[in-house]
Amino acid sequence: MGTLGKIARRTFLIGTGLVAGGLAVGYYYYRRPYPNPLEGELTDGEVTFNPYVKIAPDNSITLVAPRAEMGQGVSTTLAALVAEELDVRLDQVTVEHGPAGHAYANTTMLEEGVPFPHFDESTIAELMRSGMAVAGKFLGLQGTGGSTSIVDGYYRMRQAGAAAREVLKLAAAKRLGVEPGTLWTSDGVITDPASGKILTYGEVAAEAAALAPPSEIRLRDKADWKILGKPQKRIDMRAKVTGAPIFGIDVRLPEMLFATLRMNPYRGGPIVGLDAGAAEKMRGVVKVIRLETGIANGFAVIADNTWRAFQAADAVQAEWGKGAYPPDDAGIFDAFDQALRSGDASYGRDDGNVETAFADAPRERIVEAEYRVPYLAHATMEPMNATAQLKDGRLDIWAPNQMPTLIRQLAAKAVGIETENCFVHTTYLGGGFGRRSDVDYAIYAALVAKETEGRPVQVTWTREEDTQQDMYRPAAVGRFRARLGEDGLPVAIDMRIAAPSIIASILPRYFPSLSPIGPDKSITDGSANQPYTIANYRVGGVKAPVAIPVGFWRSVGNSFNGFFHEGFLDEIAVAGKLDPLDMRRKLMAAYPTAINVVDKVAAMSRWGETLPAGKAKGFAFTLSFGTWVAQVVQVADVGGRIRIEKVWCAADPGQVMDPAIFEAQMMSGIVYGLSSAIGEEITFADGAAQQSNFHDYGPMRMFQCPQIEVGLLETAHRMGGAGEPGTPPAIAALANAVHALTGKRIRSMPLSKEVEFV
Amino acid sequence: MKLNVNGRDHDIEVEPEMPLLWVLRDKLSILGPKFGCGIAQCGACTVFLDGEPVRSCSVTVGEVSGAVTTIEGLMPDGRMHPVQQAWIDEQVAQCGYCQAGQIMTAVALLEAIPNPSDEEIDNAMSGNLCRCGTYPRIRAAIKRAASANAGA
Ligand code: FES
Ligand code: FES
């Protein structure tokens, strides 16, 4: 940790030295800054060309998609990027996640961590982005998050395919005594059109792997793509419709034990007393151990099956010390309100002069509102779990996770071995949504494995534990005011938002010696960086000092700022007697991509057409993770309850690698957002979360799910993500539709506290 | 204790109050049925008991007298069940964790009602949660399988 600590401290300061340092990003093949992690994993006769391609003599071809597959289709699309240039069909390759390795660092994820709006491409923003990318490479963080996988892989995966193809051609050319430029490649075969001779990739792989790729490799023109840009069959679909054992919870190893854990429900509190006497006598119980970590404190029960471990955990008597935060919602939100009133704000945006604009504003021209959202759980369908084995100084961890290199480092440290003796096997994830970019479950499993004398042990959390020990989406509050001009358009908007800092919660969990500095842009993400032009426009974020653990939740700060910003704009439109969609178009005039998606969704939803009585529509727009998204939600009154009938979504991510998968991601993001809006909430009483399972934390069910229509555009000039941008506008568009239907302006989530949904 | 799963008899020695789900998963390594909630709220653990869909997390093994069918038993000859094929054709699954349960419930629905209305689909499927929001594609897949039924 020593050196890493120093580097990390520098880089979180966005180290000036590193910005100038100029480690080339994405040119692995030429510079080889990291060893190829596949070298150590080859089977008989197999060779590897770079960290993404392995080929065996029988022409079986393996591609590595080093990002967590949690449903977003990333394994298919990353493989497609390699396959396109390698000239193989997706149905003739095997796709693996591959080992944890620094060669697979996600540089885009860090690039997008800089405090500049996505559309700001001024020199300083670009410089900061490239600086962060270098830092990401330097730290070797392999992560899946921030909707970055495809953006990150777009060049380097295609380069990997092309580089391998070129050396295969070189090897074939040597063998055939012809010029490599005369050879054709397709479907994993090299053809010499002059002689009609054919060689498979496998036949020349061993010779090819020894050759250096040419220094210039031209990637194919988009017009020549055979796979990219077209819908592909997902490579994981068959496994997923046959119930195949592909998830973390399905890992089965010889001699494996089963365990579960219970951590202090007063988050961060200590263990005061623990009596496991009765539990240890129960059938099948091996032992009960204390788990005391910098993340949480509690105990684990090791048994010969999961159910017996669950039963015995219930029988342990634990006395828990309290957490360092107010015990109930009243106290918690008081702390938020106090931060909002008197905390130091950092301004993600400050155009014009807001104070002057409000100083002489006539009362009737001012709109004011306060908004609030609760903590939320991720509630992945597969509860947290990990399997670990510590034997002869080697630690293996099998885990559905979004951060393998971080696990490797921290789990090794937890059991006192060197990082290089820890091996992380990333399984399929039964949902991630950001929860699995925390790594608590893996560290706990490593600690449990310390107690099983070399036997592997699977640690499965109950749903109750998963709900109560989540790293929640932060609650947030906001106070907003606007001054309207004579034409009804806002001449000034002032937003102040208070929420806990996610990075300030995460860093000390895993790197207690690091202290995050500077503003946390996630607090204003989705409000401070939207493509609107308003003469006086200020958005400030205040860190709310509440110590309940928080983490990344699908779309992060955008998940509440989308609601705050777009809900408030809807109020402004109503006050200014303007059509809310029209008003947006006027304010977005400087951003053609925004106008494009707004116009598209207006056409798709027939915005402006009169609806029958008892139906209404709401609109919202959010640019997040580089993707421009406009949505319209239609609701209907059915006997006093509200049914969400239909959602239209227009999205522009610049380039779409797989339209079917992209559309599915938009749909998924929309359902995830709507689900939170119609009934999800984590509340606190007596120091603990009050919700525990799906009966009191209720996600959307099929009968509540609207029809969803997605339209895609490719006009933005930078490439955006897929996994998250669908979520933020859905929440706001629903709230705005509910207002249009009922006249009720609901400013706090979930909406179900004030209206009833079907 | 005897347990018949997917046409095979197993001899198991467990407490009768152990839920069927954990017997399948941890004793027999039949891993298609998934653990999601443990309290009959999510449907991830759905299996058939004598052809009827049940939540295996909430049935004790002592209560089981008949034959158990899990998703592994849907394709005894290795050929995809038409409902699974419809799931592939509509590219339903995302993370996939809920899908074994969704498919089991859908198979049972289509056996009871070969050509279900939208409302019948919603009613039958609403006990199965999907956090990835695949509901629209599940609806489409059920309709596709139903029309394949009608065509056959
Ligand atoms: S695990 Fe059985 S219904 Fe959820
Ligand atoms: S596909 Fe992920 S929970 Fe349904």
Side-chain angles (χ1 to χ4, degrees), chain A residues 70-71 234 240-241 249-250 252 306-308 378-379 463 660 664 668 680 693 700-703 705, chain B residues 15 19 25-26 31-32 34-37 39 41 80 84 91 94-95 97 126 131-132 135 137 139:
Chain A
M70 44 194 166
R234 290 179 59 132
K240 287 177 176 179
V241 305
I249 205 176
D250 298 330
R252 287 295 176 274
T306 308
W307 180 72
R308 284 178 182 155
H378 296 80
R463 173 60 59 190
S668 174
E680 292 177 28
N693 203 322
M700 175 178 270
R701 291 179 183 273
M702 188 182 283
F703 72 94
C705 183
Chain B
E15 304 86 318
R25 292 188 56 84
D26 289 4
L31 300 166
K34 305 295 182 207
F35 168 59
C37 68
I39 57 167
Q41 288 286 316
M80 286 277 166
Q84 288 171 310
Q91 294 281 296
Q94 291 195 20
C95 87
Y97 195 78
S126 282
R131 279 298 271 165
C132 297
Y135 300 130
R137 288 196 180 176
R139 281 188 192 130

Side-chain angles (χ1 to χ4, degrees), chain A residues 628-716:
Chain A
W628 311 63
V629 185
Q631 291 176 7
V632 170
V633 170
Q634 179 170 310
V635 292
D637 179 329
V638 285
R641 294 192 300 166
I642 297 173
R643 173 188 294 283
I644 310 173
E645 287 193 323
K646 176 124 195 188
V647 179
W648 295 268
C649 168
D652 190 336
Q655 274 202 77
V656 180
M657 293 294 105
D658 185 317
I661 286 176
F662 193 94
E663 183 185 300
Q665 276 308 290
M666 283 293 129
M667 249 184 220
S668 174
I670 290 166
V671 172
Y672 203 75
L674 295 177
S675 177
S676 73
I678 66 167
E680 292 177 28
E681 173 175 42
I682 291 288
T683 54
F684 283 81
D686 300 327
Q690 289 181 288
Q691 291 70 25
S692 62
N693 203 322
F694 292 133
H695 65 291
D696 54 14
Y697 193 87
M700 175 178 270
R701 291 179 183 273
M702 188 182 283
F703 72 94
Q704 300 168 306
C705 183
Q707 285 180 9
I708 300 172
E709 197 178 311
V710 179
L712 300 180
L713 290 172
E714 295 183 285
T715 68

Side-chain angles (χ1 to χ4, degrees), chain B residues 21 34-46 55-58:
Chain B
L21 173 66
K34 305 295 182 207
F35 168 59
C37 68
I39 57 167
Q41 288 286 316
C42 76
C45 64
T46 304
R55 309 297 184 220
S56 65
C57 69
S58 300

